[in-house]
């Protein structure tokens, strides 16, 4: 078998007190038999030494350091020459198998013949680093008969008229960035959850009419996704589930048909850049103003100027059901349909957040108000050609105290 990895060779020669390591170099390690004695050798070929250096295995390995094997690292300490071969950036499974073969040889067992490779020099191409980036910009370059390199971390496929995502993409376990912009996609199929490391998903200029919900439902995507670009599609709404993307830092939804933003968007504590220019937004939820952004672009929407108004001039005394529900939400008490009747679960889901941070339900007062976007970002952004940075915001007030505060100073919370 052959193991592709980086190696650093440390000479432990006598007299050399400092064990200075060299720069890691790409290498291929093989195990094979060599005449005339038919002994088993380990062969190390590097980009500088393609002919390779052979080391006898039996009786010549003092120790193998395997503490960091799960990170793709190990060190083989040879007796003669007095040399440590420090392996890094190896595939963990391959590294374990390779070390296992060495162990068998050291212990005098003869591994299965199939693991032996020829100890001939190898070509530079075979030693080269695995390909991590692949950019395809036209149909003729799209691999139809060959697989994508399994080592890919970034895959970009543009202008290939792709109507369906290729399921082979979901086999790319190292993929961090997937960019399928400028195609004809309408949905993200199940299977995307296999991309455990995906943090950057770009699907702009496709034909999505509905938000691809499965992106939000999958645990590893909820935890990892940092960049989501769905600009230039035909989406009318953003689901509330998008607020489950705990690590989302950049959300681009420009040039869609969005009519509303989920009221709980303020939960996206890591969100730093939002662009929703050229949509059909008429108002923002008050929760939007909880965001602390580096940039926001809401130019070209249908925002309508509003006065400071409340739907009523008093807040009803909450019912016992509402008191209980407010408490459950405030204390973050988990609930499922196993514990509660479905309609109570839906009721709890429908909680509104007052600007004071408390939850409320029907016994609340709706308000609308113009707010300066400068409260969410220091970068100056205009929402229309007049250069205005004010947007209408709609929210709820939970108590007479909050209602009074709003009436006294509608800007109290937005400064
Ligand atoms: Zn309140």
């Amino acid at each position: 078998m052959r193991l592709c990895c980086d190696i650093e060779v440390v000479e432990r020669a006598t007299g050399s007190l400092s064990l200075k390591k060299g720069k890691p170099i790409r290498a291929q390690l093989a195990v094979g038999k060599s005449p005339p004695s038919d002994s088993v050798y380990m062969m190390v070929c590097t980009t500088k030494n393609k002919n390779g250096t052979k080391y006898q295995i039996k009786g010549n390995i003092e120790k193998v350091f395997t503490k960091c094997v799960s990170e793709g690292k190990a060190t083989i300490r040879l007796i003669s020459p007095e040399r440590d071969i420090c392996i890094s950036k190896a595939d963990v499974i391959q590294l374990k198998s390779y070390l296992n073969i060495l162990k068998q040889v050291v212990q005098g067992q003869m591994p299965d013949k199939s693991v032996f490779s020829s100890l001939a020099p190898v070509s530079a191409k075979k030693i080269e680093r695995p390909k991590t980036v692949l950019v395809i910009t036209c149909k003729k370059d799209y691999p139809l008969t060959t697989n994508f390199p399994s080592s890919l971390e970034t895959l970009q496929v543009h202008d290939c008229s792709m109507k369906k995502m290729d399921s082979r993409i979901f086999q790319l376990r190292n993929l961090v960035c997937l960019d399928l912009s400028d195609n004809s996609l309408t949905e993200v199929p199940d299977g995307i959850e296999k991309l455990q490391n995906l943090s950057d998903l770009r699907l702009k200029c496709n034909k999505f009419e509905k938000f691809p919900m499965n992106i939000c439902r999958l645990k590893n995507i909820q935890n990892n996704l940092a960049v989501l670009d769905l600009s230039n599609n035909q989406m009318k709404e953003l689901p509330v589930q998008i607020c489950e993307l705990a690590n989302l830092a950049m959300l681009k939804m420009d040039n869609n048909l969005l009519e509303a933003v989920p009221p709980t968007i303020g939960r996206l504590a890591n969100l730093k850049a939002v662009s929703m220019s050229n949509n059909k937004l008429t108002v923002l939820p008050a929760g939007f103003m909880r965001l602390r952004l580096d940039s926001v672009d809401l130019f070209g929407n249908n925002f309508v100027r509003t006065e400071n108004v409340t739907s009523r001039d008093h807040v009803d005394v909450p019912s016992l059901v509402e008191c209980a529900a407010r408490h459950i939400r405030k204390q973050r008490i988990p609930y499922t349909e196993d514990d509660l009747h479905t309609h109570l679960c839906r009721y709890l889901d429908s909680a509104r957040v007052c600007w004071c941070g408390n939850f409320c339900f029907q016994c609340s007062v709706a308000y609308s108000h113009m707010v300066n976007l400068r409260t969410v970002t220091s970068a100056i952004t205009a929402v229309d050609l007049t250069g205005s940075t004010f947007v209408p915001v709609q929210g709820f007030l939970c108590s007479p105290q909050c209602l009074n505060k709003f009436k006294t100073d509608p800007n109290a919370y937005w400064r």
Side-chain angles (χ1 to χ4, degrees):
M1 80 165 281
R2 295 179 188 276
L3 174 71
C4 287
C5 57
D6 278 9
I7 62 161
E8 291 168 70
V9 177
V10 179
E11 302 291 349
R12 307 193 316 277
T14 44
S16 165
L17 289 174
S18 61
L19 297 181
K20 263 194 179 169
K21 284 183 176 182
K23 222 181 143 195
I25 188 168
R26 201 65 194 163
Q28 192 191 74
L29 274 55
V31 181
K33 286 185 176 180
S34 181
S37 59
D38 237 16
S39 300
V40 183
Y41 287 85
M42 170 170 101
M43 174 132 133
V44 180
C45 296
T46 64
T47 40
K48 282 187 182 159
N49 175 14
K50 297 180 191 73
N51 290 331
T53 309
K54 274 186 255 176
Y55 303 101
Q56 186 153 358
I57 297 175
K58 196 169 178 194
N60 194 32
I61 292 184
E62 188 182 313
K63 197 170 179 187
V64 178
F65 299 87
T66 56
K67 198 177 164 190
C68 300
V69 74
S70 56
E71 295 165 28
K73 295 178 186 169
T75 296
I76 300 167
R77 174 159 288 177
L78 298 166
I79 297 170
S80 174
E82 288 184 35
R83 200 167 273 177
D84 284 1
I85 297 179
C86 309
I87 298 169
S88 58
K89 294 190 180 168
D91 178 87
V92 176
I93 294 169
Q94 283 193 347
L95 178 61
K96 284 182 180 170
S97 323
Y98 190 83
L99 295 177
N100 203 25
I101 294 165
L102 295 190
K103 191 176 170 187
Q104 288 179 32
V105 177
V106 168
Q107 291 174 344
Q109 299 163 10
M110 193 47 75
D112 189 75
K113 271 184 197 165
S114 62
V115 303
F116 293 132
S117 323
S118 102
L119 298 182
V122 293
S123 65
K125 204 178 171 191
K126 284 191 173 163
I127 304 176
E128 271 171 10
R129 265 171 216 290
K131 203 173 172 73
T132 56
V133 178
L134 180 61
V135 179
I136 299 166
T137 52
C138 61
K139 261 185 177 176
K140 73 173 174 44
D141 293 338
Y142 195 85
L144 291 173
T145 51
T146 53
N147 273 330
F148 293 106
S150 62
S151 50
L152 284 185
E153 290 171 11
T154 297
L155 174 63
Q156 296 181 20
V157 183
H158 306 309
D159 297 309
C160 287
S161 315
M162 189 191 272
K163 285 185 180 158
K164 241 183 141 182
M165 261 193 211
D166 187 336
S167 60
R168 290 178 302 165
I169 293 173
F170 303 141
Q171 309 303 321
L172 302 171
R173 304 297 163 93
N174 298 315
L175 208 61
V176 175
C177 171
L178 178 61
D179 184 349
L180 302 175
S181 302
D182 300 293
N183 282 290
S184 304
L185 297 170
T186 55
E187 59 175 19
V188 173
D190 289 341
I192 195 161
E193 73 279 6
K194 292 179 188 164
L195 301 175
Q196 299 279 338
N197 299 310
L198 190 69
S199 71
D200 188 334
L201 181 61
R202 295 172 196 249
L203 300 167
K204 70 171 182 195
C205 300
N206 275 284
K207 293 186 175 167
F208 287 95
E209 288 182 10
K210 279 188 179 167
F211 186 88
M213 284 288 285
N214 46 0
I215 292 174
C216 306
R217 287 202 195 103
L218 308 162
K219 207 77 206 152
N220 57 312
I221 293 192
Q222 280 180 7
N223 294 335
N224 294 339
L225 200 68
V227 176
L228 180 59
D229 186 351
L230 280 157
S231 309
N232 296 72
N233 280 282
Q234 293 142 31
M235 276 177 289
K236 286 188 178 161
E237 58 178 9
L238 272 178
V240 287
Q241 287 82 354
I242 197 169
C243 306
E244 304 300 321
L245 300 174
N247 261 321
L248 198 65
M250 180 192 276
L251 176 63
K252 287 173 78 76
M253 297 293 304
D254 307 275
N255 303 308
N256 275 281
L257 306 166
L258 296 182
E259 289 167 1
V261 174
T264 43
I265 191 153
R267 290 183 57 186
L268 293 172
N270 291 307
L271 200 58
K272 288 287 162 224
V274 177
S275 58
M276 296 182 182
S277 63
N278 300 312
N279 278 281
K280 296 185 181 300
L281 301 174
T282 52
V283 67
L284 288 180
F288 192 92
M289 296 301 150
R290 291 178 172 269
L291 297 171
R292 289 296 168 263
L293 303 171
D294 292 335
S295 69
V296 59
D297 185 358
L298 295 168
F299 184 84
N301 279 284
N302 300 342
F303 292 127
V304 185
R305 209 186 149 74
T306 172
E307 299 305 318
N308 300 335
V309 285
T310 53
S311 58
R312 279 178 293 163
D313 57 7
H314 70 279
V315 183
D316 289 337
V317 177
S319 64
L320 282 176
V321 174
E322 174 149 352
C323 286
R326 285 184 179 200
H327 185 75
I328 287 172
R329 291 301 305 259
K330 187 177 180 183
Q331 300 300 322
R332 295 171 181 264
I333 298 169
Y335 57 89
T336 67
E337 290 187 13
D338 294 337
D339 319 314
L340 292 173
H341 197 279
T342 309
H343 83 268
L344 280 175
C345 287
R346 296 293 79 79
Y347 181 75
L348 284 162
D349 288 344
S350 71
R352 300 155 172 173
V353 189
C354 175
W355 67 356
C356 70
N358 283 337
F359 289 95
C360 48
F361 295 81
Q362 281 96 341
C363 303
S364 56
V365 172
Y367 69 90
S368 41
H369 178 50
M370 293 302 284
V371 177
N372 195 337
L373 273 179
R374 287 173 204 239
T375 52
V376 294
T377 175
S378 54
I380 299 164
T381 47
V383 294
D384 57 31
L385 289 171
T386 68
S388 168
T389 53
F390 281 81
V391 283
V393 157
Q394 210 167 46
F396 295 91
L397 300 162
C398 72
S399 62
Q401 288 82 1
C402 286
L403 178 60
N404 281 339
K405 212 164 181 177
F406 179 84
K407 283 182 172 172
T408 315
D409 180 1
N411 287 309
Y413 279 89
W414 311 127
R415 287 208 189 92

